[in-house]
Amino acid sequence: MKKYELKNLAEPNLMEDIFDYDLAPKITFDGPIIEVIDGEEVRFDPGDVMKRDIVITDTTFRDGQQARRPYSVEQCVTLFKLLSRLSGPRGVIRQSEFFLYSEKDREVVEKCRALGARFPEITGWIRANKGDFKHVKRMELKETGLLTSSSDYHIYNKMKTDRAGAFKKYIEVVEAAVEAEVRPRCHLEDVTRADIGGFVMPFVQKLAEIADQVPEELKPKVRLCDTMGFGISYPGAALPRSVPKLIHLITTEGGIPPERLEWHGHNDFHKAHINAATAWLYGCNAANTTLIGFGERTGNPPLEGAVFEYIALKGSLCGIDTLAITEIAQYLRDECRMDIPANYPFVGLKFNATSAGIHADGLSSDERIYNIFNTGKLLGRPPHVTINDKSGIDGVALWVNNFLGLTGDRKISKIKMAKIGRWVVDQYDKEGRITSISDEEMAEQVKKYFPEQYAKVAGE
Amino acid sequence: MTDSVKTRLIKIVSETLEVPVEEIKPEHRFVEDLDAESIQSIELMAAFEEEFDIEMDEDEAMEVKTVGEAIEFVEKCIREQK
């Protein structure tokens, strides 16, 4: 057994090559991932994502709207504009899909397109009916998603047909799309519950055959839809639930290259985000997401989570305007009446807040101790404290100094906070309070005990 | 250690921690012997600043553990801030 010796240091090793405070912490690998597939060891190089054009795609206006009251046209256009800003010049948010069925659906597409944004590219979503192509053609879209359900649950129990019947119908619609010069994107609904060898692979291989006969811009894409969130990311997991094995089979024996493959997940087992990231690592270029993860039932991989995963994997911002994430969340909260849990990563009102006094003390001396990255720079939201009975004088002091914008030597000493600290303690010990103290209440205390400083901040 | 500072400081400690003046000795530790809670420690420092019209360095003040150390620290502040 290797013996490890204590290495004492004069200066701390903060591992800033990984934990660069101005970026999401980098995800680094020191070797290949090995999967056993059909009895053979297959080596995957996770570092390959640095070279591949991995992208995020968006379904906020399709799947995202299936779980909430619809956005208004104006709301869709505003959100699309913000998505475009977030995406950056390289188009990290590469595509966004839209319903095309109602007049309102089509008005949204027209208005978003009128913005003239290069990214996200607008694509459609229709059922696998040849008649529905008229909508795609009318909107002059270059690509549309088609519902091509793949499990027997859907084929036999929902569509009331058999595999051969479904296969024939899907291929007819794909051929109709190509003929109409619209790129088909086949959504293999419920693929993590499908017979991979008995239906999915024959269908995908047929798509690859069609692809061989058409120009690049019409070659069919495949979206792997983990409709019920059954996908598993662990190496060694078996098909049909294994994300790695699915991706590997489709990109090798299926003949669909990474740039024409997309992963669409659901969060029923809390695996939506990690499955999407896993799909990236194993050779699928596009991860389909929604803003705040809002989507059917438990939702989809959250787009903002995918953005930080992307930055962490690429080790660079890649032109992404992360500040747009905070604006999007604010807009969803204020204008779209969306309830975002306070502790929701990256966008919840308290995602980088601490109530514990001992954490506040750490934050006060070096915010990196209790902040995931420079949230002030990347999200416009520096870490802060919420005050409750566990906050102590350290929490109170940090809250007050943050509120007054005082740093370094200008900070007010904890000793001067005694009266506010006493008020907080009495709220719980004498008044029997069981809720946190709101920012408004704290501001009132600052106004009472530090009126001059308060007046400067409040512009009084 | 001047009587004036000592008397006034012990009176503050007595009032803040609700301990009779005659029971407070210089060697007493605020937390362990006089049962001072966290907020009371800060209130004591704030009261010393007000009573003696001094400004105390926060970090140095937090190092004070006993009544005797507090008296010495306050006297030092008074000398330096005269």
Side-chain angles (χ1 to χ4, degrees), chain B:
Chain B
M1 191 183 289
T2 64
D3 275 351
S4 166
V5 169
K6 180 180 176 185
T7 307
R8 287 158 67 192
L9 188 142
I10 287 181
K11 185 164 176 277
I12 291 170
V13 174
S14 166
E15 288 168 358
T16 306
L17 303 184
E18 298 177 357
V19 178
V21 167
E22 58 276 17
E23 290 180 18
I24 301 172
K25 307 293 176 206
E27 62 272 23
H28 277 161
R29 294 168 298 180
F30 289 108
V31 176
E32 291 85 349
D33 301 322
L34 300 174
D35 288 336
E37 293 175 2
S38 175
I39 185 64
Q40 288 175 316
S41 300
I42 296 293
E43 287 177 314
L44 278 173
M45 298 302 163
F48 297 158
E49 284 196 343
E50 195 175 334
E51 172 69 20
F52 299 104
D53 192 23
I54 54 173
E55 292 282 330
M56 298 164 85
D57 178 83
E58 182 182 304
D59 293 333
E60 287 183 45
M62 295 303 146
E63 292 300 313
V64 170
K65 305 293 179 208
T66 67
V67 175
E69 288 173 7
I71 295 167
E72 285 174 17
F73 184 56
V74 166
E75 287 180 334
K76 174 175 161 277
C77 291
I78 293 171
R79 275 197 309 276
E80 290 174 354
Q81 295 172 27
K82 259 184 186 172

Side-chain angles (χ1 to χ4, degrees), chain A residues 353-364:
Chain A
T354 181
S355 297
I358 195 157
H359 286 196
D361 192 33
L363 267 179
S364 182

Side-chain angles (χ1 to χ4, degrees), chain A residues 23-223:
Chain A
L23 285 178
K26 290 171 194 159
I27 298 171
T28 54
F29 300 91
D30 52 14
I33 306 172
I34 297 169
E35 270 274 4
V36 177
I37 301 177
D38 284 341
E40 292 197 7
E41 281 191 359
V42 181
R43 294 165 74 88
F44 295 87
D45 175 11
D48 187 45
V49 288
M50 293 287 284
K51 292 172 270 175
R52 273 193 287 123
D53 184 27
I54 60 169
V55 298
I56 296 164
T57 58
D58 170 68
T59 182
T60 295
F61 307 111
R62 202 275 297 167
D63 208 327
Q65 285 201 95
Q66 289 178 203
R68 50 158 288 130
R69 62 194 167 91
Y71 297 114
S72 69
V73 173
E74 186 194 342
Q75 287 169 345
C76 289
V77 174
T78 303
L79 288 170
F80 185 81
K81 205 186 294 180
L82 285 165
L83 274 175
S84 179
R85 218 186 91 198
L86 173 64
S87 178
R90 297 193 208 173
V92 173
I93 318 291
R94 188 62 52 89
Q95 294 185 321
S96 183
E97 69 177 338
F98 292 78
F99 284 122
L100 299 174
Y101 285 101
S102 70
E103 279 305 318
K104 186 194 143 198
D105 294 338
R106 294 189 281 273
E107 186 187 352
V108 168
V109 170
E110 277 166 4
K111 290 197 167 166
C112 287
R113 189 161 45 196
L115 295 172
R118 187 170 170 215
F119 300 111
E121 297 160 359
I122 295 171
T123 72
W125 183 92
I126 60 173
R127 298 180 192 95
N129 296 320
K130 281 191 268 185
D132 288 352
F133 272 108
K134 61 179 182 290
H135 303 304
V136 186
K137 288 300 288 177
R138 197 195 312 171
M139 299 309 299
E140 298 175 344
L141 298 182
K142 293 177 181 163
E143 178 177 323
T144 190
L146 307 168
L147 191 57
T148 53
S149 303
S150 58
S151 75
D152 288 349
Y153 284 87
H154 285 244
I155 294 169
Y156 289 81
N157 293 6
K158 179 181 165 191
M159 297 161 60
K160 307 295 181 197
T161 182
D162 59 15
R163 293 180 184 182
F167 190 103
K168 181 170 177 286
K169 182 185 177 195
Y170 298 161
I171 292 300
E172 281 174 4
V173 180
V174 167
E175 287 173 340
V178 170
E179 200 174 307
E181 298 189 331
V182 174
R183 185 206 285 265
R185 185 183 61 233
C186 296
H187 293 192
L188 269 65
E189 199 75 15
D190 210 18
V191 73
T192 46
R193 210 165 33 164
D195 182 341
I196 304 302
F199 183 81
V200 172
M201 291 306 289
F203 179 61
V204 167
Q205 286 180 336
K206 179 67 183 171
L207 293 178
E209 272 177 45
I210 294 171
D212 286 341
Q213 296 156 23
V214 299
E216 185 58 40
E217 68 274 13
L218 292 179
K219 290 183 191 297
K221 287 184 176 177
V222 170
R223 176 184 286 185

Side-chain angles (χ1 to χ4, degrees), chain A residues 68 267 270 291-295 297-299 302 304 329-330 332-334 337-353 381 384 386:
Chain A
R68 50 158 288 130
N267 203 35
H270 282 295
L291 289 171
I292 324 294
F294 230 81
R297 297 187 317 280
T298 54
E304 64 286 350
Q330 201 168 334
L332 288 169
R333 237 182 243 116
D334 298 345
R337 304 280 176 85
M338 183 183 279
D339 289 327
I340 303 174
N343 63 350
Y344 202 84
F346 310 123
V347 295
L349 290 174
K350 295 184 179 175
F351 89 87
N352 61 346
R381 293 185 55 191
H384 64 288
T386 51

